[in-house]
């Protein structure tokens, strides 16, 4: 059974930093694309950052230069370093994995999802 488990969310003041982690089990994602998505109440899930099997990345415009996605294939881990956080970054953040090699910004292209971790940024 494939599982993705996020950790590292919490409450932080504007300008602060958090590092989200995603531990994958049940299959190796070293040859798969992975990503971070986020969702607010009553809103569509949106992409934040994605990374391909070879390390190619893409970011949402609003998080470029503030967030960094990375992966450790040996440990089957995915990370999201979030710096200079803003109240507009307050969402539930989800880790996702797909069978394909290359990243996609469309949530529907990902077959595996974590349960989400809440990030709240206070002003």
């Amino acid at each position: 059974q494939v599982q993705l488990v996020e950790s590292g969310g919490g409450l932080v003041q504007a300008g602060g930093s958090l590092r989200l982690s995603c531990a994958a089990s049940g299959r190796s994602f070293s040859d798969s694309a992975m990503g971070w998505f986020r969702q607010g109440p009553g809103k569509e899930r949106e992409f934040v950052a994605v990374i391909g099997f070879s390390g190619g990345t893409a970011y949402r415009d609003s998080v470029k230069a503030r967030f960094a996605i990375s992966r450790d294939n040996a440990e089957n881990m995915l990370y999201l370093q979030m710096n200079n956080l803003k109240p507009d970054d307050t969402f539930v953040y989800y880790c996702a994995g797909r069978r394909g090699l290359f990243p996609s910004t469309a949530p529907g292209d990902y077959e595996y999802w974590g349960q989400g971790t809440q990030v709240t940024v206070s002003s």
Side-chain angles (χ1 to χ4, degrees):
Q1 181 182 0
V2 176
Q3 281 192 314
L4 300 176
V5 179
E6 302 97 335
S7 60
L11 173 64
V12 65
Q13 288 188 330
S17 298
L18 284 173
R19 188 192 194 206
L20 303 184
S21 299
C22 173
S25 61
R27 92 185 275 277
S28 170
F29 283 90
S30 61
D31 59 350
S32 302
M34 300 190 77
W36 289 97
F37 293 78
R38 64 190 187 187
Q39 188 171 20
K43 296 186 178 182
E44 296 286 320
R45 193 166 294 186
E46 61 187 32
F47 113 94
V48 177
V50 293
I51 185 167
F53 80 104
S54 61
T57 59
Y59 294 92
R60 183 176 197 80
D61 284 347
S62 63
V63 308
K64 282 180 182 177
R66 299 190 297 123
F67 290 12
I69 188 172
S70 61
R71 63 192 301 167
D72 183 336
N73 288 336
E75 297 294 330
N76 222 18
M77 294 288 294
L78 181 72
Y79 303 99
L80 184 68
Q81 178 67 43
M82 305 187 294
N83 299 324
N84 190 21
L85 282 159
K86 304 176 180 180
D88 285 349
D89 295 318
T90 296
F91 288 95
V92 176
Y93 284 72
Y94 295 90
C95 169
R98 64 185 304 235
R99 297 190 183 99
L101 296 173
F102 302 103
S104 168
T105 61
D109 288 341
Y110 291 78
E111 292 86 5
Y112 307 103
W113 291 89
Q115 82 289 350
T117 184
Q118 177 71 46
V119 171
T120 302
V121 184
S122 63
S123 57

